[in-house]
Amino acid sequence: MKKINESCGFMTNKNLIDLEDMTTEQIDKVVKKAKKIMQNPADYRHACDGKILATLFYEPSTRTQMSFQTAMLKLGGRTIGFDNPMNSSVSKGESLKDTITIISGYAEIIAIRHPVEGTAMAASLYSDVPLINCGDGGHLHPTQTLTDIVTLSCEKGRLDNLKIGVCGDLLNGRTVHSLIKTLAKYKNNSFVLISTKELSVPIYIIDILEKNGCKYEFSNNLAEAISDIDVLYMTRIQRERFKSEEEYESQKNVFVLDKEKLDKAKEDMIILHPLPRVNEITVDIDDDPRALYFKQAQYGMYGRMALILLLLQDEDFLIKSRNADVSEHKCNNPKCIIHSEDYLPKLSYNKKGMVMCSFCDKRID
Ligand code: CP
């Protein structure tokens, strides 16, 4: 408990839970560092000699897990971890707290993915080393956004004055939420939100767009919306987050980017996708020069190399602590980690007079 209170008292730390906690200057610093690494990778071959990254993946992943592992290996470090918690003592009922306490005694840095919202924040309370959120349920996925930002900076040459179309599952897609929140901070970006009514962006994202004075419009027609956008960010319909198979069936394949639609797009529009893809982009588009989603995954590895270096080696690279006061109120979001790890303290913060859960950011009624 002492540890928790201390953690809550820190104004800054070395954990990346939400990209919102990083300033645009810090994001730009990651991008700049990633570009330097891309230009001269040999210069960084021994940058993390003797250091260990632990990748704790309680949920499946190809890109995030392996790009973090590759990033550390390319920096000269080594990796430990699991990609199936059932092969660890989690299968015997070990708590998140105990797992993190143990691993933070073995590794210099931890990357964690978990299907339950708020897990990264909860884990950070018990880690003595920098901890990176690699996705916590439908909540946040900050290093995917860093990947997207590095890609945009390299491929469009700017992070401002862009018209960005986001398409697909805008309700459950944590990557979309994080991307919109980040790009809204840069000058003169506007958004086209392409989805069905059922899968449109949560209201808090609209609040952020309004607060930042960003132009935005809704669309349910990809063929129409595609004609004047600079970036098309496609997303998968997140089957695993639906309550029933019927609901998923009614939403899948509503928006599919094919050659016919792409013909209506600008010559310099770029197509991004956090991947994995299911059916939402037809494979015959993969060879189009505008299709950058595979290259995007490679940019992600450089972004993660830059992040590891900054967290481990730059003493000034401190990230704002999340707001968290010990609270009377328990979060009532059934998807929040507070319900599955019952020793966790109730932590909340105030936002415009509302009490919000510090783990999952949902309003506590
Ligand atoms: N984009 C992404 O998070 O991919 P993985 O689920 O394969 O890590």
Side-chain angles (χ1 to χ4, degrees), residues 226 257-267 288 290:
I226 202 169
L257 178 64
D258 55 20
K259 264 191 181 297
E260 199 185 328
K261 294 190 190 85
L262 188 56
D263 281 346
K264 301 181 201 302
K266 294 201 275 192
E267 281 304 307
D288 190 291
R290 290 168 287 189

Side-chain angles (χ1 to χ4, degrees), residues 51-203:
K51 304 280 189 232
I52 292 177
L53 164 77
T55 53
L56 308 183
F57 276 61
Y58 292 75
E59 191 184 56
S61 165
T62 297
R63 277 146 294 274
T64 313
Q65 184 194 25
M66 291 193 212
S67 67
F68 259 115
Q69 291 172 341
T70 311
M72 193 46 144
L73 294 172
K74 280 180 181 279
L75 292 169
R78 284 170 293 164
T79 68
I80 57 170
F82 54 75
D83 55 16
N84 178 355
M86 288 304 109
N87 293 335
S88 78
S89 286
V90 174
S91 65
K92 301 171 201 160
E94 185 156 70
S95 68
L96 180 75
K97 174 182 186 289
D98 289 0
T99 303
I100 297 297
T101 304
I102 296 300
I103 302 299
S104 82
Y106 296 162
E108 275 70 34
I109 185 163
I110 296 174
I112 183 169
R113 172 175 286 188
H114 199 285
V116 178
E117 296 180 14
T119 300
M121 166 65 181
S124 74
L125 299 176
Y126 305 104
S127 179
D128 290 326
V129 299
L131 181 138
I132 301 167
N133 184 4
C134 293
D136 57 333
H139 185 216
L140 299 164
H141 190 354
T143 66
Q144 178 61 48
T145 306
L146 281 179
T147 296
D148 303 337
I149 294 288
V150 172
T151 307
L152 285 174
S153 180
C154 291
E155 294 292 336
K156 295 300 284 181
R158 64 187 195 277
L159 297 173
D160 52 16
N161 293 293
L162 292 167
K163 186 165 187 177
I164 303 121
V166 288
C167 178
D169 189 345
L170 308 190
L171 177 67
N172 299 301
R174 57 194 173 193
T175 62
V176 176
H177 303 164
S178 205
L179 181 67
I180 295 175
K181 285 196 293 185
T182 304
L183 286 177
K185 291 183 192 158
Y186 289 83
K187 228 175 51 191
N188 205 28
N189 285 330
S190 61
F191 299 86
V192 188
L193 308 168
I194 310 157
S195 73
T196 61
K197 215 158 42 165
E198 292 82 359
L199 296 183
S200 68
V201 285
I203 198 74

Side-chain angles (χ1 to χ4, degrees), residues 90-352:
V90 174
S91 65
K92 301 171 201 160
E94 185 156 70
S95 68
L96 180 75
K97 174 182 186 289
D98 289 0
T99 303
I100 297 297
T101 304
I102 296 300
I103 302 299
S104 82
Y106 296 162
E108 275 70 34
I109 185 163
I110 296 174
I112 183 169
R113 172 175 286 188
H114 199 285
V116 178
E117 296 180 14
T119 300
M121 166 65 181
S124 74
L125 299 176
Y126 305 104
S127 179
D128 290 326
V129 299
L131 181 138
I132 301 167
N133 184 4
C134 293
D136 57 333
H139 185 216
L140 299 164
H141 190 354
T143 66
Q144 178 61 48
T145 306
L146 281 179
T147 296
D148 303 337
I149 294 288
V150 172
T151 307
L152 285 174
S153 180
C154 291
E155 294 292 336
K156 295 300 284 181
R158 64 187 195 277
L159 297 173
D160 52 16
N161 293 293
L162 292 167
K163 186 165 187 177
I164 303 121
V166 288
C167 178
D169 189 345
L170 308 190
L171 177 67
N172 299 301
R174 57 194 173 193
T175 62
V176 176
H177 303 164
S178 205
L179 181 67
I180 295 175
K181 285 196 293 185
T182 304
L183 286 177
K185 291 183 192 158
Y186 289 83
K187 228 175 51 191
N188 205 28
N189 285 330
S190 61
F191 299 86
V192 188
L193 308 168
I194 310 157
S195 73
T196 61
K197 215 158 42 165
E198 292 82 359
L199 296 183
S200 68
V201 285
I203 198 74
Y204 86 93
I205 294 290
I206 299 298
D207 288 345
I208 289 168
L209 291 174
E210 299 269 355
K211 194 178 119 204
N212 285 281
C214 297
K215 286 189 194 154
Y216 63 91
E217 57 194 274
F218 295 98
S219 169
N220 59 8
N221 190 327
L222 176 58
E224 266 176 33
I226 202 169
S227 62
D228 70 337
I229 54 185
D230 302 308
V231 180
L232 176 60
Y233 195 90
M234 293 296 294
T235 63
R236 173 177 70 90
I237 305 299
Q238 306 227 331
R239 183 182 208 146
E240 66 277 25
R241 316 239 184 258
F242 281 79
K243 286 198 191 95
S244 70
E245 191 60 20
E246 292 72 43
E247 265 183 72
Y248 169 70
E249 288 292 326
S250 72
Q251 295 293 329
K252 77 169 194 194
N253 300 339
V254 174
F255 298 104
V256 177
L257 178 64
D258 55 20
K259 264 191 181 297
E260 199 185 328
K261 294 190 190 85
L262 188 56
D263 281 346
K264 301 181 201 302
K266 294 201 275 192
E267 281 304 307
D268 66 347
M269 185 194 80
I270 62 169
I271 309 161
L272 303 183
H273 191 311
L275 304 178
R277 151 178 68 178
V278 184
N279 294 320
E280 56 281 354
I281 302 178
T282 57
V283 289
D284 55 356
I285 282 176
D286 293 353
D287 294 329
D288 190 291
R290 290 168 287 189
L292 294 184
Y293 28 91
F294 295 128
K295 203 169 173 191
Q296 178 186 0
Q298 203 177 10
Y299 282 127
M301 181 192 68
Y302 290 108
R304 288 172 176 122
M305 287 171 84
L307 181 65
I308 290 171
L309 280 179
L310 289 166
L311 289 175
L312 287 183
Q313 296 184 350
D314 185 337
E315 284 181 9
D316 297 329
F317 195 83
L318 294 169
I319 297 173
K320 186 168 81 65
S321 288
R322 289 174 65 71
N323 296 326
D325 295 319
V326 177
S327 167
E328 291 298 303
H329 310 281
K330 185 165 180 175
C331 178
N332 46 15
N333 168 18
K335 295 178 180 170
C336 179
I337 187 74
I338 195 96
H339 302 294
S340 44
E341 304 282 330
D342 58 10
Y343 51 85
L344 285 171
K346 290 175 268 185
L347 297 177
S348 69
Y349 62 93
N350 274 294
K351 187 177 159 192
K352 292 186 195 162

